[in-house]
Amino acid sequence: MGLREVMRELHWSPAEKKIAREAYDAGRERVLAETVAAFKMRAAAVSTPEEMWAMRDFLSERGRDLDFLLDYRYSQLSRVLGQMIGRGLLEESAVAGLDEEKCQIIREVAAMVAKGGD
Amino acid sequence: MGLREVMRELHWSPAEKKIAREAYDAGRERVLAETVAAFKMRAAAVSTPEEMWAMRDFLSERGRDLDFLLDYRYSQLSRVLGQMIGRGLLEESAVAGLDEEKCQIIREVAAMVAKGGD
């Protein structure tokens, strides 16, 4: 089975859902804050029309990236949490309490992302 | 004949083309500078992700608006110069030297735009 199928069949207990929700919310808040900060820094440096139009592409790319990153479906959540950890948005300890299968997926995704596979 | 057909049949002398080019360039430079300034003012006020994404819409709308405004074809140029004057980007004196037919179109468009018809 591929990762997609494995993730689709994971069972999330109520306790795990609570842990995942908190971790997700923290990672989401952090990535959005970082994106807003990056936007503002770049926008402040804009001085030509070309640089201004480039901000449209910046926002479109970030929008697509965040749509994928912030997909809160249980069939995606292990990948999402792994990506967040791999990007340094979350500590691995934030997902402590999830079962071993999920933790393994999360660690694998995180390692891949940290190596630049994201 | 409608305005579109009238504009398509206008003849532009070399002297008129020179006047129109200078007026257009001045109006273009001014509207782009104003748009960059408006962008930077709004971007500096962004503090939430929602406000940041709204900048994408702002840039898309301005992009469409400027594509229409900055259409440098002789079949469009009387309308373009009229719009620029109506928006206060150019003085009417900037088009002095164009023939009466063009000046009339320019004045009509400028008046319509100034009244909010743009």
Side-chain angles (χ1 to χ4, degrees), chain B residues 40-92:
Chain B
K40 288 179 70 72
M41 202 175 72
R42 282 170 184 247
V46 163
S47 64
T48 66
E50 292 70 31
E51 289 164 356
M52 176 180 65
W53 302 128
M55 295 300 294
R56 200 165 34 172
D57 303 328
F58 170 85
L59 288 170
S60 296
E61 279 165 31
R62 292 296 176 112
R64 279 194 299 274
D65 175 56
L66 292 181
D67 282 347
F68 183 63
L69 180 65
L70 301 177
D71 186 350
Y72 195 83
R73 288 177 292 173
Y74 291 112
S75 63
Q76 297 294 318
L77 203 45
S78 306
R79 184 265 302 165
V80 164
L81 294 172
Q83 262 190 303
M84 287 179 168
I85 291 169
R87 290 192 187 187
L89 298 164
L90 277 184
E91 296 296 326
E92 205 175 314

Coordinates of all heavy atoms in Angstrom, one line a residue, chain B residues 40-92:
Chain B
K40 N 1.7 49.7 -1.6 CA 2.6 49.7 -0.4 C 1.9 50.2 0.8 O 2.1 49.7 1.9 CB 3.8 50.6 -0.7 CG 4.8 49.9 -1.7 CD 6.0 50.8 -2.0 CE 7.0 50.9 -0.9 NZ 7.7 49.6 -0.6
M41 N 1.0 51.2 0.7 CA 0.2 51.7 1.8 C -0.7 50.6 2.4 O -0.7 50.3 3.6 CB -0.6 52.9 1.4 CG -1.0 53.8 2.6 SD -1.8 55.3 2.0 CE -3.4 54.6 1.5
R42 N -1.4 49.9 1.5 CA -2.2 48.8 1.9 C -1.4 47.6 2.5 O -1.8 47.0 3.5 CB -3.1 48.3 0.8 CG -4.2 49.1 0.4 CD -4.8 48.6 -0.9 NE -5.9 49.5 -1.3 CZ -7.2 49.1 -1.3 NH1 -7.5 47.9 -1.0 NH2 -8.1 49.9 -1.7
A43 N -0.3 47.3 1.9 CA 0.5 46.2 2.3 C 1.0 46.4 3.7 O 1.1 45.6 4.6 CB 1.6 45.9 1.3
A44 N 1.4 47.7 3.9 CA 2.0 48.0 5.3 C 0.9 47.9 6.4 O 1.2 47.7 7.5 CB 2.5 49.5 5.2
A45 N -0.4 48.0 6.0 CA -1.4 48.0 7.0 C -1.9 46.5 7.2 O -2.7 46.3 8.1 CB -2.6 48.8 6.5
V46 N -1.4 45.6 6.4 CA -1.8 44.2 6.6 C -1.4 43.6 7.9 O -0.2 43.8 8.3 CB -1.2 43.3 5.4 CG1 -1.3 41.8 5.7 CG2 -2.0 43.6 4.1
S47 N -2.3 43.0 8.6 CA -1.8 42.3 9.9 C -2.4 40.9 10.0 O -1.9 40.2 10.9 CB -2.1 43.2 11.1 OG -3.5 43.3 11.2
T48 N -3.3 40.5 9.2 CA -3.9 39.2 9.3 C -3.7 38.5 8.0 O -3.6 39.1 6.9 CB -5.4 39.3 9.6 OG1 -6.1 39.8 8.5 CG2 -5.7 40.1 10.9
P49 N -3.8 37.1 8.0 CA -3.8 36.4 6.7 C -4.9 36.8 5.8 O -4.7 37.0 4.6 CB -4.0 34.9 7.2 CG -3.5 34.9 8.6 CD -3.8 36.2 9.2
E50 N -6.1 37.1 6.3 CA -7.2 37.5 5.4 C -6.9 38.8 4.7 O -7.1 38.9 3.5 CB -8.5 37.7 6.3 CG -9.1 36.4 6.8 CD -8.2 35.8 8.0 OE1 -7.5 36.6 8.7 OE2 -8.2 34.6 8.1
E51 N -6.3 39.7 5.4 CA -5.9 41.0 4.8 C -4.8 40.8 3.7 O -4.8 41.4 2.7 CB -5.4 42.0 5.9 CG -6.6 42.5 6.7 CD -6.1 43.2 8.0 OE1 -4.9 43.2 8.3 OE2 -6.9 43.7 8.7
M52 N -3.9 39.8 4.0 CA -2.9 39.5 3.1 C -3.5 38.9 1.8 O -3.1 39.3 0.7 CB -1.9 38.5 3.7 CG -0.8 38.1 2.7 SD 0.4 36.9 3.5 CE -0.8 35.5 3.8
W53 N -4.4 37.9 1.9 CA -5.0 37.4 0.7 C -5.8 38.4 0.0 O -5.9 38.3 -1.3 CB -5.9 36.1 1.1 CG -5.2 35.1 1.8 CD1 -5.5 34.5 3.0 CD2 -3.9 34.4 1.4 NE1 -4.6 33.5 3.3 CE2 -3.6 33.4 2.4 CE3 -3.0 34.5 0.3 CZ2 -2.5 32.6 2.4 CZ3 -1.9 33.7 0.3 CH2 -1.6 32.8 1.3
A54 N -6.4 39.4 0.6 CA -7.1 40.4 0.0 C -6.2 41.2 -1.0 O -6.7 41.8 -2.0 CB -7.8 41.3 1.0
M55 N -4.9 41.2 -0.7 CA -4.0 41.9 -1.6 C -3.9 41.2 -2.9 O -3.5 41.9 -3.9 CB -2.6 42.0 -0.9 CG -2.6 42.9 0.4 SD -3.1 44.6 0.1 CE -1.8 45.2 -1.0
R56 N -4.1 39.9 -2.9 CA -4.1 39.2 -4.2 C -5.2 39.7 -5.1 O -5.0 40.0 -6.3 CB -4.3 37.7 -3.9 CG -3.9 36.8 -4.9 CD -3.8 35.3 -4.4 NE -4.8 34.9 -3.4 CZ -4.9 33.7 -3.0 NH1 -4.2 32.7 -3.5 NH2 -5.8 33.4 -2.0
D57 N -6.4 39.9 -4.5 CA -7.5 40.5 -5.3 C -7.2 41.9 -5.7 O -7.5 42.3 -6.8 CB -8.8 40.4 -4.4 CG -9.1 39.0 -4.0 OD1 -8.7 38.0 -4.7 OD2 -9.6 38.8 -2.9
F58 N -6.7 42.7 -4.8 CA -6.3 44.0 -5.1 C -5.4 44.1 -6.3 O -5.6 44.8 -7.3 CB -5.6 44.7 -3.9 CG -5.0 46.0 -4.2 CD1 -5.7 47.2 -4.1 CD2 -3.6 46.1 -4.5 CE1 -5.1 48.4 -4.4 CE2 -3.0 47.4 -4.8 CZ -3.8 48.5 -4.7
L59 N -4.4 43.2 -6.3 CA -3.4 43.2 -7.4 C -4.0 42.7 -8.7 O -3.8 43.2 -9.8 CB -2.2 42.4 -7.1 CG -1.2 43.0 -6.0 CD1 -0.2 42.0 -5.6 CD2 -0.5 44.3 -6.6
S60 N -4.9 41.7 -8.6 CA -5.6 41.2 -9.8 C -6.5 42.3 -10.4 O -6.5 42.5 -11.7 CB -6.4 40.0 -9.5 OG -5.6 38.9 -9.1
E61 N -7.2 43.0 -9.6 CA -8.1 44.0 -10.1 C -7.3 45.1 -10.7 O -7.7 45.6 -11.8 CB -9.0 44.6 -9.0 CG -10.2 43.7 -8.7 CD -10.8 44.1 -7.3 OE1 -10.7 45.3 -6.9 OE2 -11.3 43.2 -6.6
R62 N -6.3 45.6 -10.1 CA -5.5 46.7 -10.6 C -4.8 46.2 -11.9 O -4.7 47.0 -12.8 CB -4.4 47.1 -9.6 CG -5.0 47.8 -8.4 CD -5.7 49.1 -8.8 NE -6.3 49.7 -7.6 CZ -5.9 50.9 -7.0 NH1 -4.9 51.5 -7.6 NH2 -6.6 51.3 -6.0
G63 N -4.4 45.0 -12.0 CA -3.8 44.5 -13.2 C -4.7 44.5 -14.4 O -4.4 45.0 -15.5
R64 N -6.0 44.1 -14.1 CA -7.0 44.1 -15.2 C -7.3 45.6 -15.6 O -7.4 45.9 -16.8 CB -8.3 43.4 -14.8 CG -8.2 41.9 -14.9 CD -9.6 41.3 -14.7 NE -10.2 41.7 -13.4 CZ -10.1 40.9 -12.3 NH1 -9.3 39.9 -12.3 NH2 -10.6 41.3 -11.2
D65 N -7.4 46.4 -14.6 CA -7.7 47.8 -14.9 C -6.6 48.4 -15.7 O -6.9 49.2 -16.7 CB -7.9 48.5 -13.5 CG -8.0 50.0 -13.7 OD1 -9.0 50.4 -14.4 OD2 -7.2 50.8 -13.1
L66 N -5.4 48.2 -15.4 CA -4.3 48.8 -16.1 C -4.1 48.2 -17.5 O -3.6 48.9 -18.4 CB -3.0 48.7 -15.2 CG -3.0 49.6 -14.0 CD1 -1.7 49.5 -13.2 CD2 -3.3 51.0 -14.3
D67 N -4.4 46.9 -17.6 CA -4.3 46.3 -19.0 C -5.2 47.1 -19.9 O -4.9 47.3 -21.1 CB -4.7 44.8 -18.9 CG -3.6 43.9 -18.4 OD1 -2.5 44.4 -18.3 OD2 -3.9 42.8 -18.1
F68 N -6.4 47.5 -19.4 CA -7.3 48.2 -20.2 C -6.9 49.6 -20.4 O -6.9 50.2 -21.5 CB -8.7 48.1 -19.6 CG -9.8 48.8 -20.4 CD1 -10.2 48.3 -21.7 CD2 -10.5 49.9 -19.9 CE1 -11.2 49.0 -22.4 CE2 -11.5 50.5 -20.6 CZ -11.8 50.1 -21.9
L69 N -6.5 50.3 -19.3 CA -6.1 51.7 -19.4 C -4.8 51.9 -20.3 O -4.7 52.9 -20.9 CB -5.8 52.2 -18.0 CG -5.3 53.7 -17.9 CD1 -6.5 54.6 -18.4 CD2 -4.9 54.1 -16.5
L70 N -3.9 50.9 -20.2 CA -2.6 51.2 -20.9 C -2.5 50.5 -22.2 O -1.4 50.1 -22.6 CB -1.5 50.8 -19.9 CG -1.5 51.5 -18.6 CD1 -0.4 51.0 -17.7 CD2 -1.4 53.0 -18.8
D71 N -3.6 50.5 -23.0 CA -3.7 49.8 -24.3 C -3.2 50.8 -25.4 O -3.9 51.6 -25.8 CB -5.1 49.4 -24.6 CG -5.2 48.5 -25.8 OD1 -4.2 48.5 -26.6 OD2 -6.3 48.0 -26.1
Y72 N -1.9 50.6 -25.7 CA -1.3 51.6 -26.7 C -1.5 51.1 -28.1 O -0.5 50.8 -28.8 CB 0.2 51.8 -26.4 CG 0.8 53.0 -27.1 CD1 0.6 54.2 -26.5 CD2 1.4 52.9 -28.3 CE1 1.1 55.4 -27.2 CE2 1.9 54.0 -28.9 CZ 1.8 55.2 -28.4 OH 2.3 56.3 -29.0
R73 N -2.7 51.1 -28.5 CA -3.0 50.9 -30.0 C -3.6 52.2 -30.5 O -4.5 52.8 -29.7 CB -3.9 49.7 -30.2 CG -3.2 48.4 -29.9 CD -4.3 47.2 -30.1 NE -5.3 47.3 -29.0 CZ -6.3 46.5 -29.0 NH1 -6.6 45.6 -30.0 NH2 -7.2 46.6 -28.0
Y74 N -3.3 52.6 -31.7 CA -3.9 53.8 -32.2 C -5.5 53.8 -32.2 O -6.1 54.8 -32.1 CB -3.3 54.2 -33.5 CG -1.9 54.6 -33.4 CD1 -0.9 53.8 -33.9 CD2 -1.5 55.7 -32.7 CE1 0.5 54.2 -33.7 CE2 -0.2 56.1 -32.5 CZ 0.8 55.3 -33.0 OH 2.1 55.7 -32.8
S75 N -6.0 52.5 -32.3 CA -7.4 52.4 -32.3 C -8.0 52.6 -30.9 O -9.2 52.6 -30.7 CB -7.8 51.0 -32.8 OG -7.3 50.0 -32.0
Q76 N -7.2 52.6 -29.9 CA -7.6 52.8 -28.5 C -7.1 54.1 -27.9 O -7.6 54.5 -26.8 CB -7.1 51.6 -27.7 CG -7.6 50.2 -28.1 CD -9.1 50.1 -27.9 OE1 -9.6 50.6 -26.9 NE2 -9.8 49.6 -28.9
L77 N -6.2 54.7 -28.5 CA -5.4 55.7 -27.8 C -6.2 57.0 -27.4 O -6.0 57.6 -26.4 CB -4.2 56.1 -28.7 CG -3.0 56.7 -28.1 CD1 -2.6 56.0 -26.8 CD2 -1.9 56.8 -29.1
S78 N -7.2 57.3 -28.2 CA -8.1 58.5 -27.9 C -8.8 58.2 -26.6 O -8.9 59.0 -25.7 CB -9.1 58.8 -29.0 OG -8.4 59.0 -30.2
R79 N -9.3 57.0 -26.5 CA -10.1 56.6 -25.3 C -9.1 56.5 -24.1 O -9.4 57.0 -23.0 CB -10.7 55.2 -25.5 CG -11.5 54.6 -24.4 CD -10.8 53.7 -23.5 NE -10.2 52.5 -24.1 CZ -9.2 51.8 -23.5 NH1 -8.8 52.1 -22.3 NH2 -8.7 50.8 -24.2
V80 N -7.9 56.0 -24.3 CA -6.9 55.9 -23.3 C -6.5 57.2 -22.7 O -6.5 57.5 -21.5 CB -5.6 55.1 -23.8 CG1 -4.4 55.3 -22.9 CG2 -6.0 53.6 -24.0
L81 N -6.2 58.2 -23.7 CA -5.8 59.5 -23.2 C -7.0 60.2 -22.5 O -6.8 60.9 -21.5 CB -5.3 60.3 -24.4 CG -4.0 59.8 -25.1 CD1 -3.7 60.5 -26.4 CD2 -2.9 59.9 -24.1
G82 N -8.2 60.0 -23.0 CA -9.4 60.6 -22.4 C -9.5 60.0 -20.9 O -9.8 60.8 -20.0
Q83 N -9.3 58.7 -20.8 CA -9.4 58.1 -19.5 C -8.4 58.7 -18.5 O -8.6 59.0 -17.4 CB -9.2 56.6 -19.5 CG -10.5 55.8 -19.6 CD -10.1 54.3 -19.4 OE1 -9.3 53.8 -20.2 NE2 -10.7 53.6 -18.4
M84 N -7.2 58.9 -19.1 CA -6.1 59.4 -18.2 C -6.4 60.8 -17.8 O -6.2 61.2 -16.6 CB -4.8 59.4 -19.0 CG -4.2 58.0 -19.2 SD -2.6 58.1 -20.1 CE -2.0 56.4 -19.8
I85 N -7.0 61.6 -18.7 CA -7.3 63.0 -18.3 C -8.5 63.0 -17.3 O -8.5 63.7 -16.3 CB -7.7 63.8 -19.5 CG1 -6.4 64.0 -20.4 CG2 -8.3 65.2 -19.2 CD1 -6.7 64.6 -21.8
G86 N -9.5 62.1 -17.6 CA -10.6 62.0 -16.6 C -10.2 61.6 -15.2 O -10.9 62.0 -14.3
R87 N -9.2 60.8 -15.1 CA -8.7 60.3 -13.8 C -7.7 61.3 -13.2 O -7.2 61.0 -12.1 CB -8.0 59.0 -14.0 CG -8.9 57.8 -14.3 CD -8.2 56.6 -14.1 NE -8.9 55.4 -14.6 CZ -8.5 54.2 -14.4 NH1 -7.3 53.9 -13.7 NH2 -9.2 53.1 -14.8
G88 N -7.4 62.4 -13.9 CA -6.5 63.3 -13.3 C -5.0 62.9 -13.4 O -4.2 63.4 -12.8
L89 N -4.8 62.0 -14.3 CA -3.4 61.5 -14.6 C -2.7 62.5 -15.5 O -1.4 62.5 -15.6 CB -3.4 60.1 -15.1 CG -3.9 59.0 -14.2 CD1 -4.2 57.8 -15.0 CD2 -3.0 58.8 -13.0
L90 N -3.4 63.2 -16.3 CA -2.9 64.1 -17.3 C -3.7 65.3 -17.4 O -4.9 65.3 -17.1 CB -3.1 63.4 -18.7 CG -2.1 62.4 -19.3 CD1 -2.5 62.1 -20.7 CD2 -0.7 63.0 -19.2
E91 N -3.1 66.4 -17.7 CA -3.8 67.7 -18.0 C -4.3 67.6 -19.4 O -3.7 67.0 -20.3 CB -2.9 68.9 -17.9 CG -2.3 69.1 -16.5 CD -3.4 69.5 -15.5 OE1 -4.3 70.1 -15.9 OE2 -3.2 69.0 -14.3
E92 N -5.4 68.3 -19.7 CA -5.9 68.4 -21.1 C -4.9 69.0 -22.0 O -4.8 68.6 -23.2 CB -7.2 69.2 -21.1 CG -8.1 68.7 -22.3 CD -9.5 69.4 -22.3 OE1 -10.1 69.5 -21.2 OE2 -9.9 69.9 -23.4

